[in-house]
Amino acid sequence: MLDTSEKTTELGVFLPVGNGGWITSTTSPQLPATYDYNKQVAILAEEMGFDFALAMAKWRGYGGPSKHWDITLESMTAMAGIAEATSRIGVWGTVHTMVFHPAVVAKMTAVIDQISKGRFGLNIVSGSNPSDQGQMGLWMDLDHAERYELAEEWLTVLKRLWTEERVDHKGKHYELIDCMSNPKPSVQPPIICAGASDRGFLFTMEHCTGSFMLGSDHDDFIKTGLRAKELAAQQGKPGFKTYGLFTIVPGATDAEARERVAYYDSGVDTIALDNQTREYSGDKSFKQNTMAQRFVSQGESRNSMTRAALVGSSETIGRKLAEIVKGAQLDGVTVIVPDFIDDLRTVGTEVVEVLAQNGVMTNAYTHQKAAQ
Ligand SMILES: Cc1cc2nc3c(=O)[nH]c(=O)nc-3n(C[C@H](O)[C@H](O)[C@H](O)COP(=O)(O)O)c2cc1C
């Protein structure tokens, strides 16, 4: 069993760059998805000692009365701004491989590397929703495995442009002739992917430095996390990092937190959920597409948010989260909350304290103690 006493678990915030955050409801906090709001969240996270702020990439909303995700900030430009507005926290942006040419991303990342002074990280998405990128004609008619093949070529080109003076490449999807890309990033940015299928995970393990992962419940999280660590050890990649994504709904008591979820469920936006289901069901590789299956099942169950959410008092959440972090040997935790100011503050103060009491140390906790 891993000795967690000497390890620091990274803590990150999944920035609400889409309106409404991750709750599809008219009765949940109607987060605005403005740059100013997200900047405020990132600065708060930095002040509390969080390690990274991550922005997703999403191009199309789901409508309905909540207009869920009808407004989304573009990820890389938002993180460039946030890089300038912060000084310590890691700034992680997301690209869809089908949307940007790798040579464009090589330059974008090098610029954000300069703005952030080496704090940038890249989340790569091979694509799971045909309508999202299809609405602008950028969805390619590839099956799930082919999308990861494209991502492999894409990342090979990107890494070469980051390190080589001139690149010649003739592949299936990209052709570069004596391609120059300067400036180079000052450090090779961490590259993360959330590929959860076997194919997606293999891609992530081979080509990235870390993996984002989800669990449908406590046991599933532990199983998924341990499988990743075992595979990493087998493949001689002991430094490979795993980051769990957790939706956290805190309350003064467990009952109060459960009431919050019930209240958000009372306003569940079934029209937006149906639109989401329809879009994801359109993938010809639906059977292999684990994200599509998750969203469709949430839509069918008519829940406003994932049932894997950690709901309760800070004590309850901290205890359960510590069990998963230790059991799954996670290197990091990425947090979603209903309200990214008050609830994030609860996570960054109370929950990290309970985590520490249960053997999970975070920089946020150390930071808090040093300030007292
Ligand atoms: C933390 C996290 C962040 C993600 N970010 C995005 C994103 O920004 N845009 C997107 O389209 N998909 C995003 N995804 C979905 C994944 O990229 C991926 O499609 C999904 O996990 C399914 O894996 P699979 O392709 O191997 O089936 C994210 C998933 C997780 C868990």
Side-chain angles (χ1 to χ4, degrees), residues 13 28 46 57 70 90 103 114 124 127 158 187 226 241 293 307 317 331 366:
V13 57
S28 58
E46 173 163 281
D70 284 4
Q114 287 193 7
I124 292 185
L158 177 76
V187 287
L226 287 181
K241 291 190 176 181
Q293 287 163 25
R307 290 300 100 165
I317 290 167
D331 296 289
T366 314

mmCIF file of all heavy atoms in Angstrom, residues 13 28 46 57 70 90 103 114 124 127 158 187 226 241 293 307 317 331 366:
data_model
loop_
_atom_site.group_PDB
_atom_site.id
_atom_site.type_symbol
_atom_site.label_atom_id
_atom_site.label_comp_id
_atom_site.label_asym_id
_atom_site.label_seq_id
_atom_site.Cartn_x
_atom_site.Cartn_y
_atom_site.Cartn_z
ATOM 1 N N VAL A 13 -9.185 23.041 -9.651
ATOM 2 C CA VAL A 13 -10.588 23.414 -9.846
ATOM 3 C C VAL A 13 -10.909 23.307 -11.334
ATOM 4 O O VAL A 13 -10.125 23.724 -12.188
ATOM 5 C CB VAL A 13 -10.883 24.835 -9.295
ATOM 6 C CG1 VAL A 13 -9.987 25.905 -9.915
ATOM 7 C CG2 VAL A 13 -12.355 25.202 -9.506
ATOM 8 N N SER A 28 -30.393 25.480 -9.776
ATOM 9 C CA SER A 28 -29.014 25.487 -9.253
ATOM 10 C C SER A 28 -28.421 26.879 -9.490
ATOM 11 O O SER A 28 -28.983 27.670 -10.258
ATOM 12 C CB SER A 28 -28.196 24.415 -9.975
ATOM 13 O OG SER A 28 -28.218 24.652 -11.366
ATOM 14 N N GLU A 46 -6.108 30.123 -6.304
ATOM 15 C CA GLU A 46 -4.677 30.385 -6.075
ATOM 16 C C GLU A 46 -4.440 30.868 -4.642
ATOM 17 O O GLU A 46 -3.514 30.404 -3.961
ATOM 18 C CB GLU A 46 -4.163 31.429 -7.072
ATOM 19 C CG GLU A 46 -2.738 31.849 -6.776
ATOM 20 C CD GLU A 46 -2.078 32.548 -7.950
ATOM 21 O OE1 GLU A 46 -1.638 31.854 -8.884
ATOM 22 O OE2 GLU A 46 -1.995 33.795 -7.927
ATOM 23 N N ALA A 57 -13.070 22.485 -22.971
ATOM 24 C CA ALA A 57 -13.380 23.035 -24.293
ATOM 25 C C ALA A 57 -14.753 22.514 -24.713
ATOM 26 O O ALA A 57 -14.995 21.310 -24.687
ATOM 27 C CB ALA A 57 -12.330 22.596 -25.307
ATOM 28 N N ASP A 70 -25.081 27.133 -23.152
ATOM 29 C CA ASP A 70 -25.233 27.914 -24.392
ATOM 30 C C ASP A 70 -24.145 28.975 -24.481
ATOM 31 O O ASP A 70 -23.859 29.515 -25.553
ATOM 32 C CB ASP A 70 -26.625 28.564 -24.469
ATOM 33 C CG ASP A 70 -27.700 27.536 -24.840
ATOM 34 O OD1 ASP A 70 -27.364 26.339 -24.957
ATOM 35 O OD2 ASP A 70 -28.875 27.919 -25.012
ATOM 36 N N GLY A 90 -1.164 26.444 -11.436
ATOM 37 C CA GLY A 90 -1.048 25.873 -12.772
ATOM 38 C C GLY A 90 -2.265 26.262 -13.612
ATOM 39 O O GLY A 90 -3.393 26.230 -13.116
ATOM 40 N N ALA A 103 0.184 22.670 -35.200
ATOM 41 C CA ALA A 103 1.144 23.777 -35.316
ATOM 42 C C ALA A 103 0.569 25.053 -34.710
ATOM 43 O O ALA A 103 1.308 25.896 -34.182
ATOM 44 C CB ALA A 103 1.519 23.994 -36.786
ATOM 45 N N GLN A 114 4.913 31.547 -21.894
ATOM 46 C CA GLN A 114 5.596 32.807 -21.554
ATOM 47 C C GLN A 114 4.759 33.627 -20.582
ATOM 48 O O GLN A 114 5.271 34.166 -19.601
ATOM 49 C CB GLN A 114 5.863 33.635 -22.823
ATOM 50 C CG GLN A 114 6.964 33.063 -23.686
ATOM 51 C CD GLN A 114 7.445 34.034 -24.760
ATOM 52 O OE1 GLN A 114 7.055 35.199 -24.814
ATOM 53 N NE2 GLN A 114 8.318 33.551 -25.624
ATOM 54 N N ILE A 124 -5.950 17.235 -23.652
ATOM 55 C CA ILE A 124 -6.245 16.874 -25.049
ATOM 56 C C ILE A 124 -7.534 16.077 -25.140
ATOM 57 O O ILE A 124 -7.734 15.115 -24.389
ATOM 58 C CB ILE A 124 -5.093 16.027 -25.592
ATOM 59 C CG1 ILE A 124 -3.879 16.927 -25.703
ATOM 60 C CG2 ILE A 124 -5.427 15.419 -26.932
ATOM 61 C CD1 ILE A 124 -2.738 16.246 -26.326
ATOM 62 N N GLY A 127 -12.487 13.935 -28.868
ATOM 63 C CA GLY A 127 -13.853 14.206 -29.316
ATOM 64 C C GLY A 127 -14.816 13.086 -29.006
ATOM 65 O O GLY A 127 -14.479 11.902 -29.163
ATOM 66 N N LEU A 158 2.929 17.929 -32.488
ATOM 67 C CA LEU A 158 3.037 19.007 -31.491
ATOM 68 C C LEU A 158 4.359 18.904 -30.724
ATOM 69 O O LEU A 158 5.100 19.891 -30.593
ATOM 70 C CB LEU A 158 1.860 18.937 -30.505
ATOM 71 C CG LEU A 158 1.924 19.971 -29.376
ATOM 72 C CD1 LEU A 158 1.546 21.357 -29.881
ATOM 73 C CD2 LEU A 158 1.009 19.584 -28.220
ATOM 74 N N VAL A 187 9.371 24.974 -20.684
ATOM 75 C CA VAL A 187 9.361 23.619 -20.124
ATOM 76 C C VAL A 187 8.346 22.827 -20.940
ATOM 77 O O VAL A 187 7.420 23.411 -21.506
ATOM 78 C CB VAL A 187 8.895 23.598 -18.643
ATOM 79 C CG1 VAL A 187 9.947 24.152 -17.717
ATOM 80 C CG2 VAL A 187 7.564 24.320 -18.455
ATOM 81 N N LEU A 226 -6.598 2.246 -9.516
ATOM 82 C CA LEU A 226 -5.573 1.213 -9.310
ATOM 83 C C LEU A 226 -5.160 0.564 -10.631
ATOM 84 O O LEU A 226 -3.985 0.275 -10.847
ATOM 85 C CB LEU A 226 -6.080 0.137 -8.337
ATOM 86 C CG LEU A 226 -6.160 0.582 -6.875
ATOM 87 C CD1 LEU A 226 -6.654 -0.555 -5.988
ATOM 88 C CD2 LEU A 226 -4.805 1.092 -6.371
ATOM 89 N N LYS A 241 0.718 10.365 -13.827
ATOM 90 C CA LYS A 241 -0.158 10.882 -12.771
ATOM 91 C C LYS A 241 -1.640 10.634 -13.057
ATOM 92 O O LYS A 241 -2.072 10.700 -14.210
ATOM 93 C CB LYS A 241 0.055 12.393 -12.619
ATOM 94 C CG LYS A 241 1.412 12.731 -12.055
ATOM 95 C CD LYS A 241 1.473 14.196 -11.696
ATOM 96 C CE LYS A 241 2.798 14.533 -11.042
ATOM 97 N NZ LYS A 241 2.861 15.933 -10.663
ATOM 98 N N GLN A 293 -21.812 7.467 -23.102
ATOM 99 C CA GLN A 293 -22.634 6.570 -22.275
ATOM 100 C C GLN A 293 -22.951 7.189 -20.920
ATOM 101 O O GLN A 293 -24.061 7.081 -20.417
ATOM 102 C CB GLN A 293 -21.931 5.226 -22.106
ATOM 103 C CG GLN A 293 -21.984 4.416 -23.385
ATOM 104 C CD GLN A 293 -20.984 3.289 -23.392
ATOM 105 O OE1 GLN A 293 -20.588 2.811 -22.355
ATOM 106 N NE2 GLN A 293 -20.560 2.888 -24.572
ATOM 107 N N ARG A 307 -24.678 11.146 -10.090
ATOM 108 C CA ARG A 307 -25.000 10.488 -8.802
ATOM 109 C C ARG A 307 -23.729 10.077 -8.062
ATOM 110 O O ARG A 307 -23.794 9.579 -6.935
ATOM 111 C CB ARG A 307 -25.880 9.245 -9.024
ATOM 112 C CG ARG A 307 -27.303 9.542 -9.468
ATOM 113 C CD ARG A 307 -28.092 10.375 -8.488
ATOM 114 N NE ARG A 307 -28.129 11.785 -8.892
ATOM 115 C CZ ARG A 307 -28.959 12.694 -8.400
ATOM 116 N NH1 ARG A 307 -29.831 12.376 -7.483
ATOM 117 N NH2 ARG A 307 -28.910 13.952 -8.810
ATOM 118 N N ILE A 317 -17.595 14.655 3.500
ATOM 119 C CA ILE A 317 -16.942 14.729 2.181
ATOM 120 C C ILE A 317 -15.447 14.437 2.316
ATOM 121 O O ILE A 317 -14.879 13.643 1.560
ATOM 122 C CB ILE A 317 -17.168 16.121 1.546
ATOM 123 C CG1 ILE A 317 -18.633 16.271 1.134
ATOM 124 C CG2 ILE A 317 -16.255 16.347 0.350
ATOM 125 C CD1 ILE A 317 -19.046 17.680 0.784
ATOM 126 N N ASP A 331 -3.035 10.967 -7.697
ATOM 127 C CA ASP A 331 -2.038 12.026 -7.518
ATOM 128 C C ASP A 331 -2.706 13.382 -7.368
ATOM 129 O O ASP A 331 -2.090 14.322 -6.880
ATOM 130 C CB ASP A 331 -1.102 12.070 -8.738
ATOM 131 C CG ASP A 331 -0.314 10.789 -8.859
ATOM 132 O OD1 ASP A 331 0.578 10.571 -8.037
ATOM 133 O OD2 ASP A 331 -0.636 9.987 -9.754
ATOM 134 N N THR A 366 -1.478 23.020 3.714
ATOM 135 C CA THR A 366 -0.214 23.570 4.221
ATOM 136 C C THR A 366 -0.242 25.096 4.170
ATOM 137 O O THR A 366 0.167 25.780 5.107
ATOM 138 C CB THR A 366 0.963 23.060 3.343
ATOM 139 O OG1 THR A 366 0.788 21.665 3.145
ATOM 140 C CG2 THR A 366 2.291 23.318 3.990
#
